[in-house]
Amino acid sequence: MASTKPVFKDVQEPRNLRGLSLSTTDSSLATQSSVTIAAGSEGVRHVADSFSFSVAANGGAVLTASTVRVSVIDGATAGTDYLWTDVLHIDSNGVEAISYFNMGLTGTAATALTVEFDGAVTGAWTSLNLGYFDVGP
Protein backbone atom coordinates (compact mmCIF):
# COMPACT_ATOMS: atom_id res chain seq x y z
CA MET A 1 0.00 0.00 0.00
CA ALA A 2 1.34 3.42 -0.96
CA SER A 3 2.02 6.06 1.67
CA THR A 4 -0.64 8.73 2.16
CA LYS A 5 1.80 11.19 3.69
CA PRO A 6 1.20 14.66 2.14
CA VAL A 7 3.93 16.14 -0.03
CA PHE A 8 4.54 19.88 0.16
CA LYS A 9 6.25 21.42 -2.83
CA ASP A 10 7.79 24.84 -3.14
CA VAL A 11 7.36 25.68 0.54
CA GLN A 12 10.05 28.07 1.69
CA GLU A 13 10.84 29.23 5.16
CA PRO A 14 11.10 33.03 5.59
CA ARG A 15 14.72 34.17 5.64
CA ASN A 16 16.04 35.69 8.84
CA LEU A 17 12.63 35.69 10.51
CA ARG A 18 13.00 36.53 14.19
CA GLY A 19 10.13 37.04 16.61
CA LEU A 20 10.16 39.09 19.77
CA SER A 21 7.46 40.56 21.95
CA LEU A 22 8.12 43.48 24.24
CA SER A 23 5.92 45.20 26.75
CA THR A 24 6.18 48.06 29.15
CA THR A 25 3.83 49.19 31.88
CA ASP A 26 4.08 52.64 33.36
CA SER A 27 2.57 52.89 36.80
CA SER A 28 4.35 56.11 37.71
CA LEU A 29 1.83 58.83 37.00
CA ALA A 30 2.31 61.47 34.31
CA THR A 31 5.03 59.62 32.38
CA GLN A 32 4.83 58.83 28.66
CA SER A 33 4.90 55.12 27.75
CA SER A 34 7.01 54.20 24.76
CA VAL A 35 8.98 51.22 23.42
CA THR A 36 11.58 51.57 20.66
CA ILE A 37 13.25 48.70 18.83
CA ALA A 38 16.69 49.83 17.65
CA ALA A 39 17.35 50.03 13.93
CA GLY A 40 18.41 46.78 12.33
CA SER A 41 21.48 46.36 10.14
CA GLU A 42 21.51 47.48 6.52
CA GLY A 43 18.56 46.02 4.64
CA VAL A 44 16.77 44.70 7.76
CA ARG A 45 13.19 45.92 8.16
CA HIS A 46 11.10 45.66 11.34
CA VAL A 47 7.52 44.44 10.83
CA ALA A 48 4.96 45.37 13.53
CA ASP A 49 2.70 42.34 13.61
CA SER A 50 0.63 42.92 16.75
CA PHE A 51 0.28 45.71 19.26
CA SER A 52 -2.00 46.89 22.03
CA PHE A 53 -2.48 50.04 24.08
CA SER A 54 -4.43 50.48 27.31
CA VAL A 55 -5.20 53.26 29.77
CA ALA A 56 -6.82 52.89 33.20
CA ALA A 57 -7.74 55.71 35.54
CA ASN A 58 -5.76 55.58 38.77
CA GLY A 59 -8.84 55.90 40.98
CA GLY A 60 -7.11 58.11 43.52
CA ALA A 61 -6.12 60.81 41.07
CA VAL A 62 -8.14 62.84 38.61
CA LEU A 63 -7.64 61.77 35.01
CA THR A 64 -6.75 64.93 33.11
CA ALA A 65 -6.61 63.64 29.54
CA SER A 66 -9.84 62.79 27.77
CA THR A 67 -8.10 61.68 24.59
CA VAL A 68 -4.62 60.41 23.82
CA ARG A 69 -3.03 59.51 20.49
CA VAL A 70 -1.38 56.11 20.19
CA SER A 71 0.98 55.32 17.33
CA VAL A 72 3.26 52.84 15.63
CA ILE A 73 6.13 54.89 14.20
CA ASP A 74 8.68 54.07 11.52
CA GLY A 75 11.55 55.64 13.45
CA ALA A 76 12.49 56.76 16.94
CA THR A 77 10.21 58.11 19.65
CA ALA A 78 8.37 61.35 18.78
CA GLY A 79 8.84 60.61 15.07
CA THR A 80 6.25 61.56 12.49
CA ASP A 81 6.49 58.70 9.96
CA TYR A 82 3.38 56.90 11.19
CA LEU A 83 2.73 53.30 10.17
CA TRP A 84 -0.51 53.40 12.17
CA THR A 85 -2.18 55.83 14.57
CA ASP A 86 -5.46 56.16 16.46
CA VAL A 87 -6.98 58.08 19.37
CA LEU A 88 -8.17 56.57 22.67
CA HIS A 89 -11.05 58.37 24.42
CA ILE A 90 -10.93 57.93 28.19
CA ASP A 91 -13.61 58.79 30.75
CA SER A 92 -12.49 60.27 34.08
CA ASN A 93 -12.86 56.92 35.87
CA GLY A 94 -12.59 54.69 32.84
CA VAL A 95 -10.53 52.06 31.13
CA GLU A 96 -9.81 51.96 27.42
CA ALA A 97 -7.86 49.39 25.41
CA ILE A 98 -7.30 48.45 21.78
CA SER A 99 -5.47 45.48 20.29
CA TYR A 100 -4.55 44.59 16.72
CA PHE A 101 -3.10 41.37 15.33
CA ASN A 102 -1.64 40.23 11.99
CA MET A 103 -1.05 43.81 10.91
CA GLY A 104 2.15 43.34 8.91
CA LEU A 105 3.16 47.02 9.12
CA THR A 106 6.59 47.06 7.48
CA GLY A 107 9.04 49.79 8.34
CA THR A 108 11.96 51.22 6.40
CA ALA A 109 15.22 49.27 6.24
CA ALA A 110 17.80 50.09 8.94
CA THR A 111 15.25 52.20 10.86
CA ALA A 112 13.95 51.95 14.44
CA LEU A 113 10.37 50.89 15.22
CA THR A 114 8.44 52.62 18.02
CA VAL A 115 5.05 52.18 19.70
CA GLU A 116 4.02 55.00 22.02
CA PHE A 117 1.43 57.25 23.58
CA ASP A 118 1.91 60.79 22.29
CA GLY A 119 2.30 62.10 25.83
CA ALA A 120 1.77 61.42 29.48
CA VAL A 121 -1.72 60.61 30.73
CA THR A 122 -1.91 62.23 34.17
CA GLY A 123 -4.00 60.27 36.67
CA ALA A 124 -3.75 56.94 34.83
CA TRP A 125 -1.70 53.83 34.34
CA THR A 126 -0.77 53.11 30.75
CA SER A 127 0.59 50.01 29.08
CA LEU A 128 1.54 48.98 25.59
CA ASN A 129 2.70 45.81 23.88
CA LEU A 130 4.45 45.15 20.59
CA GLY A 131 4.94 41.91 18.71
CA TYR A 132 7.29 42.24 15.77
CA PHE A 133 9.67 40.35 13.52
CA ASP A 134 12.50 41.29 11.17
CA VAL A 135 12.84 40.57 7.46
CA GLY A 136 15.80 41.19 5.20
CA PRO A 137 19.28 40.02 4.44
Side-chain angles (χ1 to χ4, degrees), residues 44-112:
V44 174
R45 299 162 62 119
H46 298 313
V47 180
D49 194 51
S50 61
F51 45 89
S52 64
F53 300 87
S54 61
V55 177
N58 182 349
V62 176
L63 183 62
T64 59
S66 58
T67 61
V68 62
R69 180 173 301 282
V70 291
S71 303
V72 178
I73 300 169
D74 185 23
T77 188
T80 57
D81 291 331
Y82 298 108
L83 296 173
W84 176 93
T85 189
D86 200 356
V87 175
L88 293 179
H89 302 278
I90 309 119
D91 293 332
S92 61
N93 291 315
V95 174
E96 186 66 35
I98 54 174
S99 298
Y100 292 90
F101 301 93
N102 300 316
M103 294 298 285
L105 303 175
T106 304
T108 305
T111 302

Side-chain angles (χ1 to χ4, degrees), residues 7-28:
V7 176
F8 298 98
K9 296 181 180 178
D10 300 324
V11 175
Q12 297 180 12
E13 293 293 320
R15 288 184 13 186
N16 297 325
L17 185 62
R18 298 177 292 276
L20 180 63
S21 180
L22 297 175
S23 84
T24 183
T25 301
D26 176 20
S27 58
S28 62

